[in-house]
Amino acid sequence: ARGISLLFARGDRGAAGDNGCIDGKFVPQWPSGSPWVTGVGGTQDPDDEVAIGLSSGGFSNRWDRPSWQADAVSTYLSTAQNLPSKSMWNDTGRAIPDIAAQATGFLVNIGVGLPIPVAGTSCACPTAAGVIAQLNDLRLQAGKSTLGFLNPFIYTIPSGWNDITEGFNDGCGFGSNGFPAAEGWDAVTGLGTPNYEALKTLVNEMP
């Protein structure tokens, strides 16, 4: 309603979530599981981009699946290989993340005088948000509105994202897999990482 975009880091504990698996079930992250925000997962290796294991992703136990992602998620559930046991997750819930960005190779200065390398979706999320801000700036310069609530829009433009098809997020224990990356939307990297040139063309064509 306010015309703003809300992006949240998906989390850094794989499919199990920050609380870890409880009774053999994944525990989805909050607040990135809300359908009213855009959840951002993580990737690694900019030269040959793949999903990163820490990227939390899966299916909400609180929110039903919104209509704007129903087709993309249905395709994933019917075609992806090596999905976790359905006893571990809610296959009708809001699916997360929506998109992703690089989550490794970031340097921060925490007061010790030297930059420290860090990783996580808390790096990926502001990276993705920066791309969205650039797109909003383009639209404002053209006298158009900002993009606002992103999710219904981004699922209509698969060509705007670099599809990530390799890798898994972590599962319930050391060495166990959660959800696999796959063609199209997946429960590790969402629709993929921003392709700025493609997105620039798409948002400029919008009224």
Side-chain angles (χ1 to χ4, degrees):
R2 294 176 60 191
I4 62 175
S5 304
L6 297 175
L7 289 83
F8 277 81
R10 185 65 195 97
D12 300 339
R13 299 295 177 86
D18 283 348
N19 294 310
C21 289
I22 297 177
D23 296 329
K25 297 180 183 297
F26 300 142
V27 182
Q29 298 287 103
W30 178 261
S32 62
S34 167
W36 304 110
V37 306
T38 300
V40 183
T43 61
Q44 60 184 336
D45 192 350
D47 295 322
D48 189 17
E49 205 167 20
V50 298
I52 189 169
L54 60 79
S55 181
S56 294
F59 300 84
S60 175
N61 292 325
R62 177 177 298 190
W63 301 99
D64 292 333
R65 185 166 306 135
S67 59
W68 35 260
Q69 67 173 183
D71 289 345
V73 177
S74 177
T75 297
Y76 176 71
L77 296 181
S78 63
T79 60
Q81 302 296 310
N82 301 313
L83 290 170
S85 168
K86 286 192 175 182
S87 65
M88 302 175 71
W89 48 284
N90 172 25
D91 65 357
T92 65
R94 187 272 203 264
I96 31 192
D98 300 297
I99 57 174
Q102 281 285 316
T104 61
F106 289 77
L107 298 177
V108 299
N109 192 322
I110 56 174
V112 297
L114 293 173
I116 305 297
V118 298
T121 57
S122 291
C123 300
C125 187
T127 300
V131 175
I132 299 302
Q134 291 274 27
L135 299 174
N136 280 333
D137 186 60
L138 287 174
R139 288 183 55 79
L140 290 170
Q141 290 182 53
K144 299 178 180 180
S145 66
T146 55
L147 294 171
F149 178 42
L150 295 173
N151 293 356
F153 164 63
I154 63 178
Y155 281 86
T156 67
I157 52 167
S159 62
W161 314 98
N162 302 309
D163 193 8
I164 310 303
T165 61
E166 300 292 334
F168 286 81
N169 57 10
D170 298 329
C172 277
F174 180 75
S176 66
N177 288 331
F179 293 97
E183 185 175 346
W185 182 91
D186 61 67
V188 195
T189 63
L191 295 164
T193 57
N195 180 331
Y196 178 72
E197 292 300 322
L199 288 170
K200 180 172 69 172
T201 299
L202 290 165
V203 301
N204 278 335
E205 292 173 349
M206 293 170 55

